[in-house]
């Protein structure tokens, strides 16, 4: 059965709205990247206001009642089944996000964005100063805000606990029960390996891991790793870059996906594994099928993202 | 006469709207800075879409009919004269921007933002390749769009020519006639100085200007210039930074104002003068009286800015 013209036109209208949301969020992710890598430290208060305002605008784009009307029209259309699997998935993912976001009060979204920016900034300073008590009050504020959102989302998603509602954002349908099971198995397995190592007659030689490697050399190693993995950070058509942050992360979208690392002179392996790990994320994003661009299927992170999508 | 509570409340509502516009535009300026300094080259199409979308949103914020209603209410209020000079100036500048922006069609604003991004990108590549013909078609497209806006703004501002309407954006009430007069005087003066130099018995010794200075050394010179001028780019409370672009510029707001320069190994003076020039802009922005923040009086650029406010 061919897709009817009316249905397809509603679908296209919906995807046009989603496209703007995706582009908007990709812009926010640049601001987040800048905050972590390049922003002069004094800029933090202005940045937290920018992030709060953009979150408000992004939230309003997402809860636009026209999106609700289009979803309703498409899903109740007699020819709905004639949509392709990919189209149906896009509608499903948009509906999921719409249903969730419309339940979150705007003040909570805005306040969370503002607090996230401040908490991240204080965390950076506290980590560098190895001083948890500096960080604790700001973490608590953010925790309270996330708890409020989790309690609301628990109702919407019908999850057994608020935490399950948050896990579902990053890994749909994953539960804390399943995670506990996986982690317990992993723990048992790891402990048994460690015990074997400890009781072995000959200890592994690990001193080379602590060999001092100047940071400039480590930067060159990162560049080589990028070459090796095909993550272009240096040529005319480069779609990536490597910068330095307190904690490594990846952010970006299709043609502009950036990773970060952290160099320790006495722990070169830390950056090597970070760079490889983050490039894994980045190459995944860069190699998403181009036909999914600006659509929910083409973004693992598009709806709940505050810019930073993984670390 | 004391300002009446009602009038003050309308004024505050108006300034709240303006504050959001200013914060929004300061976020756009970060995206612009990123595009010029750090963005992986492949990101240009996404960036042009981001800038187009953000321009659309910013334009809608500016032409919000509520802004028009508030201005009308404030200016026709019997106690209007009781506002302070600063408050009246804020209302005047908001009205000026509102009157202009409401006349510009949204499609023109969006298309200009998109074309500006693309034109800047092509210009950079063409300049590096010393190939004007690469740049020309994109420049022409942008020129046509700016001409359309200028013709509309000429009507609004009642200027004698479209170009005068554009000059007024950067230097209110300046005219092309006055500029022509100033430049002609300058030309005559400069030519007479040059003639004197040429006919002097001893030529000035200028070869030191062409002495090769490695770029790493030039970067250190920039840092020293920043220290000398009190432009903090290195300490915990730094509010600035120096990066490298095809052409130097300054962008930012109060606590986060960034400059750029361009190093030529065989022309160290170019960067020295650029850095000093741009730091002049930056220190001006950073030292604006803090009571004007987020208000029209606290922003030379706030209304028509596409992020890049001077070069």
């Amino acid at each position: 059965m061919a897709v009817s013209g009316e249905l397809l036109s509603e679908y296209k209208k919906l995807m046009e709205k989603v496209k703007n949301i995706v582009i908007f969020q990709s812009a926010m992710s640049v601001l987040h990247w800048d905050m972590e890598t390049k922003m002069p430290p004094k800029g933090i208060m202005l940045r937290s206001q920018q992030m709060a305002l953009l979150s408000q605008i992004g939230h309003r784009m997402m809860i636009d009642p026209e999106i609700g009307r289009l979803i309703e029209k498409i899903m109740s259309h007699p020819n709905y089944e004639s949509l392709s699997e990919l189209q149906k998935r896009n509608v499903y993912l948009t509906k999921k996000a719409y249903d969730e976001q419309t339940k979150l009060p705007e003040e909570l979204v805005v306040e969370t964005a503002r607090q996230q920016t401040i908490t991240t900034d204080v965390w950076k300073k506290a980590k560098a100063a190895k001083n948890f008590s500096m960080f604790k009050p700001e973490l608590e504020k953010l925790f309270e805000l996330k708890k409020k959102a989790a309690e609301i989302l628990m109702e919407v998603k019908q999850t057994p606990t608020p935490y399950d509602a948050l896990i579902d954002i990053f890994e749909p349908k994953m539960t804390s029960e399943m995670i506990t099971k996986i982690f317990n198995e992993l723990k048992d397995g790891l402990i048994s390996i460690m015990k074997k190592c400890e009781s072995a007659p000959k200890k592994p030689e690990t001193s080379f891991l602590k060999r001092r490697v100047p940071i400039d050399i480590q930067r060159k190693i990162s560049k080589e790793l990028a070459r090796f993995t095909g993550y272009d950070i240096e040529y005319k058509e480069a779609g990536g870059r490597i910068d330095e942050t307190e904690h490594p992360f990846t952010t970006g979208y299709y043609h502009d996906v950036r990773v970060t690392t952290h160099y320790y002179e006495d722990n070169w392996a830390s950056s090597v594994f970070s760079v490889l790990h983050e490039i894994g994320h980045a190459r995944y994003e860069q190699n998403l099928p181009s036909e999914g661009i600006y659509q929910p299927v083409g973004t693992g992170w598009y709806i709940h993202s505050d810019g930073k999508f993984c670390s």
Side-chain angles (χ1 to χ4, degrees), chain A residues 32 36 120 123 170 245-251 258-261 273-282 306-311:
Chain A
H32 178 269
E36 296 270 17
T120 307
W123 160 79
F170 295 96
T245 50
E246 192 53 46
H247 191 80
F249 68 89
T250 304
T251 190
R258 311 176 186 190
V259 308
T260 71
T261 186
F273 289 122
S274 290
V275 167
L276 288 173
H277 172 100
E278 301 302 339
I279 287 180
H281 286 301
D306 55 353
K308 182 175 180 176
F309 84 94
C310 54
S311 56

PDB file of all heavy atoms in Angstrom, chain A residues 32 36 120 123 170 245-251 258-261 273-282 306-311:
ATOM      1  N   HIS A  32      28.364  23.939  25.048  1.00  0.00           N
ATOM      2  CA  HIS A  32      28.827  23.087  26.131  1.00  0.00           C
ATOM      3  C   HIS A  32      30.297  22.728  25.938  1.00  0.00           C
ATOM      4  O   HIS A  32      31.103  22.795  26.867  1.00  0.00           O
ATOM      5  CB  HIS A  32      27.966  21.824  26.204  1.00  0.00           C
ATOM      6  CG  HIS A  32      28.450  20.912  27.271  1.00  0.00           C
ATOM      7  ND1 HIS A  32      29.375  19.922  27.017  1.00  0.00           N
ATOM      8  CD2 HIS A  32      28.213  20.889  28.588  1.00  0.00           C
ATOM      9  CE1 HIS A  32      29.659  19.326  28.156  1.00  0.00           C
ATOM     10  NE2 HIS A  32      28.968  19.877  29.117  1.00  0.00           N
ATOM     11  N   GLU A  36      33.684  23.720  28.341  1.00  0.00           N
ATOM     12  CA  GLU A  36      34.613  22.756  28.932  1.00  0.00           C
ATOM     13  C   GLU A  36      36.041  22.933  28.445  1.00  0.00           C
ATOM     14  O   GLU A  36      36.985  22.503  29.105  1.00  0.00           O
ATOM     15  CB  GLU A  36      34.163  21.329  28.600  1.00  0.00           C
ATOM     16  CG  GLU A  36      32.826  20.948  29.185  1.00  0.00           C
ATOM     17  CD  GLU A  36      32.968  20.333  30.575  1.00  0.00           C
ATOM     18  OE1 GLU A  36      34.028  20.481  31.203  1.00  0.00           O
ATOM     19  OE2 GLU A  36      31.995  19.706  31.011  1.00  0.00           O
ATOM     20  N   THR A 120      29.044  21.745  37.012  1.00  0.00           N
ATOM     21  CA  THR A 120      30.171  21.272  36.219  1.00  0.00           C
ATOM     22  C   THR A 120      31.397  22.144  36.455  1.00  0.00           C
ATOM     23  O   THR A 120      32.513  21.647  36.600  1.00  0.00           O
ATOM     24  CB  THR A 120      29.823  21.278  34.712  1.00  0.00           C
ATOM     25  OG1 THR A 120      28.612  20.548  34.525  1.00  0.00           O
ATOM     26  CG2 THR A 120      30.923  20.649  33.883  1.00  0.00           C
ATOM     27  N   TRP A 123      32.727  21.487  39.926  1.00  0.00           N
ATOM     28  CA  TRP A 123      33.331  20.153  39.937  1.00  0.00           C
ATOM     29  C   TRP A 123      34.754  20.185  39.380  1.00  0.00           C
ATOM     30  O   TRP A 123      35.678  19.598  39.937  1.00  0.00           O
ATOM     31  CB  TRP A 123      32.457  19.184  39.129  1.00  0.00           C
ATOM     32  CG  TRP A 123      33.181  17.947  38.681  1.00  0.00           C
ATOM     33  CD1 TRP A 123      33.467  16.851  39.437  1.00  0.00           C
ATOM     34  CD2 TRP A 123      33.719  17.692  37.377  1.00  0.00           C
ATOM     35  NE1 TRP A 123      34.146  15.931  38.694  1.00  0.00           N
ATOM     36  CE2 TRP A 123      34.313  16.419  37.421  1.00  0.00           C
ATOM     37  CE3 TRP A 123      33.745  18.422  36.185  1.00  0.00           C
ATOM     38  CZ2 TRP A 123      34.935  15.856  36.302  1.00  0.00           C
ATOM     39  CZ3 TRP A 123      34.363  17.855  35.083  1.00  0.00           C
ATOM     40  CH2 TRP A 123      34.945  16.601  35.157  1.00  0.00           C
ATOM     41  N   PHE A 170      19.107   7.194  28.618  1.00  0.00           N
ATOM     42  CA  PHE A 170      20.355   6.857  27.927  1.00  0.00           C
ATOM     43  C   PHE A 170      20.310   5.482  27.281  1.00  0.00           C
ATOM     44  O   PHE A 170      20.968   5.230  26.277  1.00  0.00           O
ATOM     45  CB  PHE A 170      21.532   6.956  28.907  1.00  0.00           C
ATOM     46  CG  PHE A 170      21.743   8.350  29.375  1.00  0.00           C
ATOM     47  CD1 PHE A 170      21.214   8.801  30.579  1.00  0.00           C
ATOM     48  CD2 PHE A 170      22.435   9.252  28.580  1.00  0.00           C
ATOM     49  CE1 PHE A 170      21.390  10.108  30.986  1.00  0.00           C
ATOM     50  CE2 PHE A 170      22.611  10.565  28.985  1.00  0.00           C
ATOM     51  CZ  PHE A 170      22.085  10.999  30.190  1.00  0.00           C
ATOM     52  N   THR A 245      40.394  18.364  28.514  1.00  0.00           N
ATOM     53  CA  THR A 245      39.433  18.745  29.552  1.00  0.00           C
ATOM     54  C   THR A 245      39.742  17.988  30.835  1.00  0.00           C
ATOM     55  O   THR A 245      40.526  17.037  30.837  1.00  0.00           O
ATOM     56  CB  THR A 245      37.988  18.398  29.121  1.00  0.00           C
ATOM     57  OG1 THR A 245      37.964  17.035  28.669  1.00  0.00           O
ATOM     58  CG2 THR A 245      37.500  19.295  28.010  1.00  0.00           C
ATOM     59  N   GLU A 246      39.088  18.394  31.904  1.00  0.00           N
ATOM     60  CA  GLU A 246      39.278  17.716  33.187  1.00  0.00           C
ATOM     61  C   GLU A 246      38.928  16.236  33.058  1.00  0.00           C
ATOM     62  O   GLU A 246      39.648  15.369  33.533  1.00  0.00           O
ATOM     63  CB  GLU A 246      38.412  18.399  34.257  1.00  0.00           C
ATOM     64  CG  GLU A 246      38.694  18.007  35.685  1.00  0.00           C
ATOM     65  CD  GLU A 246      40.157  18.152  36.083  1.00  0.00           C
ATOM     66  OE1 GLU A 246      40.769  19.186  35.781  1.00  0.00           O
ATOM     67  OE2 GLU A 246      40.704  17.210  36.697  1.00  0.00           O
ATOM     68  N   HIS A 247      37.820  15.949  32.380  1.00  0.00           N
ATOM     69  CA  HIS A 247      37.428  14.556  32.132  1.00  0.00           C
ATOM     70  C   HIS A 247      37.091  14.409  30.650  1.00  0.00           C
ATOM     71  O   HIS A 247      36.439  15.273  30.080  1.00  0.00           O
ATOM     72  CB  HIS A 247      36.226  14.195  33.006  1.00  0.00           C
ATOM     73  CG  HIS A 247      35.926  12.733  33.006  1.00  0.00           C
ATOM     74  ND1 HIS A 247      36.634  11.835  33.779  1.00  0.00           N
ATOM     75  CD2 HIS A 247      35.025  12.004  32.316  1.00  0.00           C
ATOM     76  CE1 HIS A 247      36.171  10.618  33.562  1.00  0.00           C
ATOM     77  NE2 HIS A 247      35.200  10.697  32.681  1.00  0.00           N
ATOM     78  N   PRO A 248      37.532  13.315  30.020  1.00  0.00           N
ATOM     79  CA  PRO A 248      37.296  13.157  28.576  1.00  0.00           C
ATOM     80  C   PRO A 248      35.810  13.020  28.222  1.00  0.00           C
ATOM     81  O   PRO A 248      35.045  12.454  28.993  1.00  0.00           O
ATOM     82  CB  PRO A 248      38.027  11.844  28.259  1.00  0.00           C
ATOM     83  CG  PRO A 248      38.967  11.617  29.392  1.00  0.00           C
ATOM     84  CD  PRO A 248      38.306  12.205  30.593  1.00  0.00           C
ATOM     85  N   PHE A 249      35.432  13.519  27.084  1.00  0.00           N
ATOM     86  CA  PHE A 249      34.078  13.283  26.568  1.00  0.00           C
ATOM     87  C   PHE A 249      34.038  13.459  25.057  1.00  0.00           C
ATOM     88  O   PHE A 249      35.020  13.894  24.447  1.00  0.00           O
ATOM     89  CB  PHE A 249      33.052  14.195  27.262  1.00  0.00           C
ATOM     90  CG  PHE A 249      33.187  15.666  26.942  1.00  0.00           C
ATOM     91  CD1 PHE A 249      32.536  16.225  25.857  1.00  0.00           C
ATOM     92  CD2 PHE A 249      33.944  16.502  27.749  1.00  0.00           C
ATOM     93  CE1 PHE A 249      32.651  17.586  25.561  1.00  0.00           C
ATOM     94  CE2 PHE A 249      34.065  17.866  27.461  1.00  0.00           C
ATOM     95  CZ  PHE A 249      33.416  18.400  26.364  1.00  0.00           C
ATOM     96  N   THR A 250      32.907  13.095  24.466  1.00  0.00           N
ATOM     97  CA  THR A 250      32.676  13.259  23.039  1.00  0.00           C
ATOM     98  C   THR A 250      31.417  14.073  22.864  1.00  0.00           C
ATOM     99  O   THR A 250      30.455  13.877  23.597  1.00  0.00           O
ATOM    100  CB  THR A 250      32.433  11.890  22.358  1.00  0.00           C
ATOM    101  OG1 THR A 250      33.546  11.046  22.628  1.00  0.00           O
ATOM    102  CG2 THR A 250      32.260  12.029  20.852  1.00  0.00           C
ATOM    103  N   THR A 251      31.409  14.979  21.909  1.00  0.00           N
ATOM    104  CA  THR A 251      30.175  15.698  21.633  1.00  0.00           C
ATOM    105  C   THR A 251      30.155  16.094  20.172  1.00  0.00           C
ATOM    106  O   THR A 251      31.205  16.248  19.551  1.00  0.00           O
ATOM    107  CB  THR A 251      30.028  16.942  22.540  1.00  0.00           C
ATOM    108  OG1 THR A 251      28.709  17.467  22.381  1.00  0.00           O
ATOM    109  CG2 THR A 251      31.026  18.022  22.204  1.00  0.00           C
ATOM    110  N   ARG A 258      33.531  16.053  18.180  1.00  0.00           N
ATOM    111  CA  ARG A 258      34.788  16.379  18.837  1.00  0.00           C
ATOM    112  C   ARG A 258      35.005  15.504  20.081  1.00  0.00           C
ATOM    113  O   ARG A 258      34.065  15.234  20.810  1.00  0.00           O
ATOM    114  CB  ARG A 258      34.770  17.849  19.270  1.00  0.00           C
ATOM    115  CG  ARG A 258      34.337  18.769  18.124  1.00  0.00           C
ATOM    116  CD  ARG A 258      34.221  20.203  18.565  1.00  0.00           C
ATOM    117  NE  ARG A 258      33.671  21.016  17.477  1.00  0.00           N
ATOM    118  CZ  ARG A 258      33.621  22.342  17.482  1.00  0.00           C
ATOM    119  NH1 ARG A 258      34.092  23.004  18.527  1.00  0.00           N
ATOM    120  NH2 ARG A 258      33.109  23.002  16.467  1.00  0.00           N
ATOM    121  N   VAL A 259      36.235  15.124  20.294  1.00  0.00           N
ATOM    122  CA  VAL A 259      36.554  14.370  21.507  1.00  0.00           C
ATOM    123  C   VAL A 259      37.524  15.174  22.358  1.00  0.00           C
ATOM    124  O   VAL A 259      38.184  16.097  21.889  1.00  0.00           O
ATOM    125  CB  VAL A 259      37.163  12.985  21.185  1.00  0.00           C
ATOM    126  CG1 VAL A 259      36.294  12.211  20.209  1.00  0.00           C
ATOM    127  CG2 VAL A 259      38.581  13.107  20.663  1.00  0.00           C
ATOM    128  N   THR A 260      37.582  14.823  23.634  1.00  0.00           N
ATOM    129  CA  THR A 260      38.567  15.436  24.513  1.00  0.00           C
ATOM    130  C   THR A 260      39.276  14.349  25.302  1.00  0.00           C
ATOM    131  O   THR A 260      38.803  13.218  25.401  1.00  0.00           O
ATOM    132  CB  THR A 260      37.926  16.427  25.511  1.00  0.00           C
ATOM    133  OG1 THR A 260      37.173  15.679  26.478  1.00  0.00           O
ATOM    134  CG2 THR A 260      37.019  17.420  24.820  1.00  0.00           C
ATOM    135  N   THR A 261      40.419  14.717  25.852  1.00  0.00           N
ATOM    136  CA  THR A 261      41.171  13.791  26.689  1.00  0.00           C
ATOM    137  C   THR A 261      41.812  14.577  27.831  1.00  0.00           C
ATOM    138  O   THR A 261      41.670  15.796  27.910  1.00  0.00           O
ATOM    139  CB  THR A 261      42.237  13.030  25.868  1.00  0.00           C
ATOM    140  OG1 THR A 261      42.837  12.041  26.710  1.00  0.00           O
ATOM    141  CG2 THR A 261      43.335  13.971  25.369  1.00  0.00           C
ATOM    142  N   PHE A 273      43.874   5.328  26.409  1.00  0.00           N
ATOM    143  CA  PHE A 273      42.594   4.623  26.447  1.00  0.00           C
ATOM    144  C   PHE A 273      41.413   5.591  26.312  1.00  0.00           C
ATOM    145  O   PHE A 273      40.407   5.265  25.684  1.00  0.00           O
ATOM    146  CB  PHE A 273      42.483   3.769  27.711  1.00  0.00           C
ATOM    147  CG  PHE A 273      43.394   2.570  27.665  1.00  0.00           C
ATOM    148  CD1 PHE A 273      44.361   2.341  28.631  1.00  0.00           C
ATOM    149  CD2 PHE A 273      43.290   1.668  26.603  1.00  0.00           C
ATOM    150  CE1 PHE A 273      45.207   1.244  28.558  1.00  0.00           C
ATOM    151  CE2 PHE A 273      44.138   0.560  26.522  1.00  0.00           C
ATOM    152  CZ  PHE A 273      45.107   0.342  27.500  1.00  0.00           C
ATOM    153  N   SER A 274      41.551   6.792  26.889  1.00  0.00           N
ATOM    154  CA  SER A 274      40.484   7.794  26.736  1.00  0.00           C
ATOM    155  C   SER A 274      40.286   8.147  25.268  1.00  0.00           C
ATOM    156  O   SER A 274      39.165   8.182  24.767  1.00  0.00           O
ATOM    157  CB  SER A 274      40.825   9.077  27.490  1.00  0.00           C
ATOM    158  OG  SER A 274      40.760   8.866  28.872  1.00  0.00           O
ATOM    159  N   VAL A 275      41.403   8.429  24.603  1.00  0.00           N
ATOM    160  CA  VAL A 275      41.312   8.848  23.206  1.00  0.00           C
ATOM    161  C   VAL A 275      40.671   7.741  22.366  1.00  0.00           C
ATOM    162  O   VAL A 275      39.771   7.997  21.557  1.00  0.00           O
ATOM    163  CB  VAL A 275      42.702   9.252  22.661  1.00  0.00           C
ATOM    164  CG1 VAL A 275      42.690   9.373  21.146  1.00  0.00           C
ATOM    165  CG2 VAL A 275      43.140  10.572  23.288  1.00  0.00           C
ATOM    166  N   LEU A 276      41.117   6.499  22.583  1.00  0.00           N
ATOM    167  CA  LEU A 276      40.536   5.395  21.814  1.00  0.00           C
ATOM    168  C   LEU A 276      39.048   5.234  22.120  1.00  0.00           C
ATOM    169  O   LEU A 276      38.230   5.045  21.226  1.00  0.00           O
ATOM    170  CB  LEU A 276      41.287   4.092  22.100  1.00  0.00           C
ATOM    171  CG  LEU A 276      42.695   4.031  21.496  1.00  0.00           C
ATOM    172  CD1 LEU A 276      43.421   2.771  21.980  1.00  0.00           C
ATOM    173  CD2 LEU A 276      42.639   4.047  19.960  1.00  0.00           C
ATOM    174  N   HIS A 277      38.707   5.323  23.394  1.00  0.00           N
ATOM    175  CA  HIS A 277      37.314   5.205  23.820  1.00  0.00           C
ATOM    176  C   HIS A 277      36.446   6.291  23.178  1.00  0.00           C
ATOM    177  O   HIS A 277      35.413   6.018  22.572  1.00  0.00           O
ATOM    178  CB  HIS A 277      37.254   5.299  25.353  1.00  0.00           C
ATOM    179  CG  HIS A 277      35.873   5.370  25.913  1.00  0.00           C
ATOM    180  ND1 HIS A 277      35.228   4.278  26.447  1.00  0.00           N
ATOM    181  CD2 HIS A 277      35.006   6.398  26.027  1.00  0.00           C
ATOM    182  CE1 HIS A 277      34.022   4.629  26.855  1.00  0.00           C
ATOM    183  NE2 HIS A 277      33.858   5.914  26.624  1.00  0.00           N
ATOM    184  N   GLU A 278      36.895   7.541  23.288  1.00  0.00           N
ATOM    185  CA  GLU A 278      36.103   8.658  22.767  1.00  0.00           C
ATOM    186  C   GLU A 278      36.025   8.620  21.244  1.00  0.00           C
ATOM    187  O   GLU A 278      34.987   8.923  20.660  1.00  0.00           O
ATOM    188  CB  GLU A 278      36.667  10.003  23.250  1.00  0.00           C
ATOM    189  CG  GLU A 278      36.719  10.183  24.768  1.00  0.00           C
ATOM    190  CD  GLU A 278      35.364  10.036  25.458  1.00  0.00           C
ATOM    191  OE1 GLU A 278      34.320  10.189  24.795  1.00  0.00           O
ATOM    192  OE2 GLU A 278      35.353   9.750  26.674  1.00  0.00           O
ATOM    193  N   ILE A 279      37.131   8.252  20.596  1.00  0.00           N
ATOM    194  CA  ILE A 279      37.096   8.158  19.129  1.00  0.00           C
ATOM    195  C   ILE A 279      36.088   7.082  18.716  1.00  0.00           C
ATOM    196  O   ILE A 279      35.423   7.203  17.688  1.00  0.00           O
ATOM    197  CB  ILE A 279      38.502   7.900  18.538  1.00  0.00           C
ATOM    198  CG1 ILE A 279      39.350   9.171  18.637  1.00  0.00           C
ATOM    199  CG2 ILE A 279      38.414   7.451  17.073  1.00  0.00           C
ATOM    200  CD1 ILE A 279      40.771   9.034  18.083  1.00  0.00           C
ATOM    201  N   GLY A 280      35.934   6.073  19.543  1.00  0.00           N
ATOM    202  CA  GLY A 280      34.900   5.062  19.276  1.00  0.00           C
ATOM    203  C   GLY A 280      33.524   5.699  19.197  1.00  0.00           C
ATOM    204  O   GLY A 280      32.766   5.469  18.236  1.00  0.00           O
ATOM    205  N   HIS A 281      33.204   6.527  20.188  1.00  0.00           N
ATOM    206  CA  HIS A 281      31.931   7.272  20.135  1.00  0.00           C
ATOM    207  C   HIS A 281      31.864   8.143  18.883  1.00  0.00           C
ATOM    208  O   HIS A 281      30.861   8.183  18.188  1.00  0.00           O
ATOM    209  CB  HIS A 281      31.818   8.229  21.334  1.00  0.00           C
ATOM    210  CG  HIS A 281      31.536   7.565  22.644  1.00  0.00           C
ATOM    211  ND1 HIS A 281      30.419   6.786  22.859  1.00  0.00           N
ATOM    212  CD2 HIS A 281      32.185   7.606  23.831  1.00  0.00           C
ATOM    213  CE1 HIS A 281      30.412   6.373  24.128  1.00  0.00           C
ATOM    214  NE2 HIS A 281      31.474   6.840  24.733  1.00  0.00           N
ATOM    215  N   ALA A 282      32.964   8.864  18.649  1.00  0.00           N
ATOM    216  CA  ALA A 282      32.959   9.863  17.573  1.00  0.00           C
ATOM    217  C   ALA A 282      32.771   9.217  16.206  1.00  0.00           C
ATOM    218  O   ALA A 282      31.971   9.674  15.390  1.00  0.00           O
ATOM    219  CB  ALA A 282      34.251  10.680  17.601  1.00  0.00           C
ATOM    220  N   ASP A 306      21.751  17.666  27.065  1.00  0.00           N
ATOM    221  CA  ASP A 306      22.125  19.014  27.451  1.00  0.00           C
ATOM    222  C   ASP A 306      23.436  19.351  26.748  1.00  0.00           C
ATOM    223  O   ASP A 306      24.187  20.192  27.160  1.00  0.00           O
ATOM    224  CB  ASP A 306      22.294  19.115  28.961  1.00  0.00           C
ATOM    225  CG  ASP A 306      23.274  18.087  29.468  1.00  0.00           C
ATOM    226  OD1 ASP A 306      23.698  17.237  28.667  1.00  0.00           O
ATOM    227  OD2 ASP A 306      23.614  18.131  30.641  1.00  0.00           O
ATOM    228  N   GLY A 307      23.694  18.653  25.665  1.00  0.00           N
ATOM    229  CA  GLY A 307      24.898  18.972  24.902  1.00  0.00           C
ATOM    230  C   GLY A 307      25.956  17.900  25.067  1.00  0.00           C
ATOM    231  O   GLY A 307      26.551  17.454  24.108  1.00  0.00           O
ATOM    232  N   LYS A 308      26.166  17.470  26.273  1.00  0.00           N
ATOM    233  CA  LYS A 308      27.239  16.505  26.548  1.00  0.00           C
ATOM    234  C   LYS A 308      26.606  15.130  26.521  1.00  0.00           C
ATOM    235  O   LYS A 308      25.760  14.819  27.358  1.00  0.00           O
ATOM    236  CB  LYS A 308      27.768  16.787  27.942  1.00  0.00           C
ATOM    237  CG  LYS A 308      28.913  15.897  28.372  1.00  0.00           C
ATOM    238  CD  LYS A 308      29.409  16.363  29.716  1.00  0.00           C
ATOM    239  CE  LYS A 308      30.555  15.523  30.227  1.00  0.00           C
ATOM    240  NZ  LYS A 308      31.069  16.064  31.499  1.00  0.00           N
ATOM    241  N   PHE A 309      26.977  14.326  25.546  1.00  0.00           N
ATOM    242  CA  PHE A 309      26.187  13.126  25.468  1.00  0.00           C
ATOM    243  C   PHE A 309      26.861  11.870  25.980  1.00  0.00           C
ATOM    244  O   PHE A 309      26.218  10.865  26.205  1.00  0.00           O
ATOM    245  CB  PHE A 309      25.594  12.912  24.078  1.00  0.00           C
ATOM    246  CG  PHE A 309      26.522  12.244  23.124  1.00  0.00           C
ATOM    247  CD1 PHE A 309      26.482  10.880  22.957  1.00  0.00           C
ATOM    248  CD2 PHE A 309      27.428  12.987  22.407  1.00  0.00           C
ATOM    249  CE1 PHE A 309      27.326  10.263  22.066  1.00  0.00           C
ATOM    250  CE2 PHE A 309      28.281  12.360  21.520  1.00  0.00           C
ATOM    251  CZ  PHE A 309      28.223  11.000  21.353  1.00  0.00           C
ATOM    252  N   CYS A 310      28.133  11.901  26.187  1.00  0.00           N
ATOM    253  CA  CYS A 310      28.726  10.710  26.764  1.00  0.00           C
ATOM    254  C   CYS A 310      30.118  11.015  27.285  1.00  0.00           C
ATOM    255  O   CYS A 310      30.715  12.017  26.917  1.00  0.00           O
ATOM    256  CB  CYS A 310      28.814   9.595  25.724  1.00  0.00           C
ATOM    257  SG  CYS A 310      29.656  10.121  24.246  1.00  0.00           S
ATOM    258  N   SER A 311      30.598  10.188  28.163  1.00  0.00           N
ATOM    259  CA  SER A 311      31.968  10.406  28.630  1.00  0.00           C
ATOM    260  C   SER A 311      32.613   9.071  28.966  1.00  0.00           C
ATOM    261  O   SER A 311      32.074   8.030  28.665  1.00  0.00           O
ATOM    262  CB  SER A 311      31.992  11.328  29.827  1.00  0.00           C
ATOM    263  OG  SER A 311      31.183  10.832  30.845  1.00  0.00           O
TER     264      SER A 311
END
